[in-house]
Amino acid sequence: MKCIITVLATTLFLAFSQLAAQDFDKGLKAHDAGDYDTAVREWEPLAEQGNVEAQYNLGFMYYNGLGLTQNSAEAVKWYRLAAEQAHGDARLNLGAMYRNGQGVPEDFVRAAKWYRLAAKQGNAIAQDNLGILYYFGDGVLQDNLIAYMWTNLAFENGAPEAETRRDFIAEEMTKADISKAQDMAKDCISSSYTKCGS
């Protein structure tokens, strides 16, 4: 009897997963066609059931007012749910919401937390933003070595605008410090973002 229940539960899970994928895809097609009302109708139940992509997309739609009234607090809610499931772009966007005080009180410490989590997933924009926080000492201890490390990683990972910031930071550093920061960046990458100077 236990075997039958396990098989039934597995079958129901697979059927639900396939249905959820179809609903998500239907929402994605609607979104891409500019039919935001349908996208919301398809994604909202999935997001409430914990679908990380649907949560992220609802956050994006609330933030931008696509098919919904623009609502930063609702965007934060959905981004947070997706970010807690390790969605890199949700972490980046949640960090930005805290940094800019959108839908939540401005909080550089929380911004740094979410940027750091996204940065350690290889998100170049989060790496650049985290570098900026370190340069100014917003929510973190001011540290040009770490600021240079993160902006350098951001540039290497495909954020071309980070090069200007990295070079600006370098103007306040010695050659020895720049070399040390470059070594820190190498250590960060080789450790799969577990040893990143902070």
Side-chain angles (χ1 to χ4, degrees), residues 163-177:
E163 181 179 30
T164 303
R165 286 184 271 285
R166 181 200 63 194
D167 293 346
F168 180 80
I169 295 165
E171 291 176 10
E172 299 181 18
M173 299 170 68
T174 66
K175 288 184 181 182
D177 285 342

Side-chain angles (χ1 to χ4, degrees), residues 9-78:
T10 303
T11 304
L12 289 174
F13 174 77
L14 291 174
F16 176 76
S17 296
Q18 290 171 347
L19 180 61
Q22 290 171 346
D23 292 344
F24 182 83
D25 291 343
K26 186 176 178 183
L28 187 59
K29 287 177 185 172
H31 175 274
D32 292 347
D35 181 2
Y36 302 124
D37 292 337
T38 298
V40 169
R41 258 193 327 274
E42 296 299 327
W43 286 338
E44 200 163 39
L46 296 174
E48 289 169 357
Q49 294 166 9
N51 181 298
V52 68
E53 290 298 330
Q55 290 170 341
Y56 170 75
N57 289 345
L58 275 182
F60 182 84
M61 293 180 79
Y62 270 111
Y63 181 78
N64 292 289
L66 301 174
L68 300 159
T69 302
Q70 195 284 333
N71 186 326
S72 294
E74 280 294 308
V76 166
K77 169 190 165 183
W78 292 110

Side-chain angles (χ1 to χ4, degrees), residues 6 20 34 36 40 63 81 88 124 132 134-135 142 158 178 188 190 195:
T6 302
Y36 302 124
V40 169
Y63 181 78
L81 289 169
I132 294 166
Y134 272 102
Y135 177 74
Q142 197 285 331
I178 293 169
C188 185
S190 67
K195 297 178 184 175

